[in-house]
Amino acid sequence: MSSALTFKILEDIASDLSSDEITFPTFLDITFQVRTALKDPNLNVEQLAKLVGAEPLMSTKIIRMANSVAMNPSGREIADVKTAILRVGMEAVRTVSFAVAMEQLLKSKQMQPFEGISKRLWVHTSHVAALCRVLARKIAKINGDEAMFAGLVHDLGVFYLMSRAANFPDLVADKVELHALLVGWHDNIGHALLSALGSPEVVLLAVQEHETDREIAELKSLSDVLYVANKIANRSSGWRDPELDGEVDTSMLDEMFDADMLAEIIEESEEEVQSLKAALGG
C-alpha cells in the first residue's frame, strides 16, 4: 500500500485541528467539558462537582482517587464528589478526565484491531506518568501533579491516531505503515490536539519535545522531566513494536544517573504506578 492513505488521514486531521469548529472525538467529550469549565476563573468547587457528578464513571474515579492511600493517609473515607474534589484538588479532575477518556477509548469496539498496542500503550503511559511525578518531586523540584498530567497525556496523539485509523481498514491491515504513522506523527498530533483543548504552554512544549533526542545535563524543566521519564519507561514498558521500529536508544540514562539512583527512581515510580492504578481503577 502506498503512503497516500496515510497522507489522507493526516490531511483530514490537519484540516480538523486548524478549523474554527473542531470536531473532538467522542472519547474526549468529557475532557473538553472539564477543560472548558476549568478555564472559567469564577468556577467554584460546587459547580465543578455538579459537572463531575453528572458523569458516573468520572465521579467514581474522583472519589476512588480521594480515598487512595496516597491521598488519604488518615484512612477516613469519603463518598461525595465535592469533598473528593476538595481533597485531591481541582486540577486533579483534569487528569482524571483524560484517564477516563483514554480508558473509554481503549474499551471501545473501534479499538479492537489495536488491542495489543493499546494495552502496551496504556502500561507505558501509566509508567511515564508515575516517573514524571517522582522525577519532578525528587530531582527537578517542580510541580509533581502537573508533571504527572504531562506524562498521562504525552502519547495522546497515538490514541487519537488509532481512533482515526480505525476508519481505514487497509491501513489497519498494513502493520508497517500504521506503525510508521503512529511513531512518526504522534508527538506533533498530540501537541496540536492538546493545544486545541487549551492545555498550558509548558505542557504543550513538553509533549512536542518528548521524542526529540538531546543532551540533558540536569533536570530543571517539565520538558526535561517528561523526556527522561519516557526514556526510563521505554526500557521496560515501551509501546512500540521492536520488530518494526527497533529499540529506543536509552543510553543517555546511564550517563545521567548512576545505577543506584536509577534503581531508586524506578522503585519509587513503581509505588506511584500502583497508587495511580488503584486510584483510577485500572
Side-chain angles (χ1 to χ4, degrees), residues 112-128:
Q112 287 179 357
F114 313 109
E115 184 177 6
I117 193 170
S118 294
K119 287 182 178 178
R120 294 197 304 273
L121 185 60
W122 186 237
V123 170
H124 174 75
T125 296
S126 300
H127 279 83
V128 172

Side-chain angles (χ1 to χ4, degrees), residues 17-18 23 30-31 53 64-65 98 102 113 118 123 130 139 145 155 169 176 178 218 222 236 242 251 259 281:
L17 293 179
S18 63
T23 306
I30 184 62
T31 297
R64 182 182 287 130
M65 175 177 277
F98 269 97
M102 287 186 277
S118 294
V123 170
I139 301 177
D145 291 331
D155 276 338
V176 174
L178 174 64
E218 59 179 319
L222 178 61
S236 60
S251 58

Side-chain angles (χ1 to χ4, degrees), residues 3-266:
S3 60
L5 198 50
T6 293
F7 179 78
K8 171 60 177 171
I9 292 175
L10 293 173
E11 188 178 45
D12 287 350
I13 292 173
S15 176
D16 188 28
L17 293 179
S18 63
S19 67
D20 293 332
E21 295 294 332
I22 297 173
T23 306
F24 286 97
T26 303
F27 75 94
L28 284 176
D29 282 349
I30 184 62
T31 297
F32 183 69
Q33 292 174 40
V34 169
R35 167 258 186 187
T36 301
L38 289 174
K39 286 185 70 175
D40 181 356
N42 298 315
L43 180 72
N44 57 44
V45 174
E46 287 80 7
Q47 292 169 322
L48 185 57
K50 186 176 181 180
L51 171 64
V52 171
E55 218 293 320
L57 188 57
M58 180 85 167
S59 56
T60 298
K61 289 185 183 295
I62 287 291
I63 292 172
R64 182 182 287 130
M65 175 177 277
N67 286 321
S68 67
V69 174
M71 293 287 184
N72 183 29
S74 69
R76 185 176 64 84
E77 291 197 351
I78 56 178
D80 66 285
V81 174
K82 179 182 174 182
T83 307
I85 293 174
L86 286 170
R87 179 177 286 178
V88 303
M90 291 174 70
E91 282 302 304
V93 177
R94 179 178 61 164
T95 299
V96 174
S97 73
F98 269 97
V100 169
M102 287 186 277
E103 183 182 56
Q104 288 178 326
L105 175 65
L106 292 177
K107 291 180 178 179
S108 68
K109 185 178 180 180
Q110 72 184 108
M111 295 300 283
Q112 287 179 357
F114 313 109
E115 184 177 6
I117 193 170
S118 294
K119 287 182 178 178
R120 294 197 304 273
L121 185 60
W122 186 237
V123 170
H124 174 75
T125 296
S126 300
H127 279 83
V128 172
L131 283 160
C132 278
R133 190 169 189 179
V134 171
L135 290 170
R137 294 184 309 189
K138 190 180 185 70
I139 301 177
K141 307 302 181 184
I142 61 176
N143 189 310
D145 291 331
E146 184 173 58
M148 185 177 74
F149 173 74
L152 191 65
V153 302
H154 82 286
D155 276 338
L156 183 64
V158 186
F159 288 95
Y160 181 55
L161 283 166
M162 286 193 294
S163 73
R164 299 294 287 254
N167 298 317
F168 296 82
D170 289 345
L171 181 58
V172 174
D174 191 330
K175 293 184 178 180
V176 174
E177 184 155 354
L178 174 64
H179 197 269
L181 170 68
L182 299 179
V183 171
W185 287 93
H186 74 278
D187 45 0
N188 286 323
I189 295 297
H191 172 274
L193 187 58
L194 287 166
S195 178
L197 282 165
S199 294
E201 187 61 38
V202 65
V203 173
L204 296 179
L205 179 64
V207 169
Q208 189 172 41
E209 293 183 342
H210 81 271
E211 296 280 13
T212 304
D213 282 326
R214 57 193 184 272
E215 291 185 9
I216 297 178
E218 59 179 319
L219 292 180
K220 296 187 293 185
S221 68
L222 178 61
S223 186
D224 292 343
V225 165
L226 178 57
Y227 176 74
V228 172
N230 190 50
K231 287 289 189 183
I232 296 174
N234 272 316
R235 283 198 168 179
S236 60
S237 55
W239 64 267
R240 302 183 185 192
D241 188 333
E243 294 184 3
L244 298 177
D245 193 49
E247 292 189 8
V248 176
D249 182 8
T250 62
S251 58
M252 56 85 64
L253 295 173
D254 299 317
E255 299 174 8
M256 191 165 196
F257 305 105
D258 61 46
D260 290 339
M261 172 63 81
L262 189 57
E264 186 178 323
I265 291 169
I266 292 172

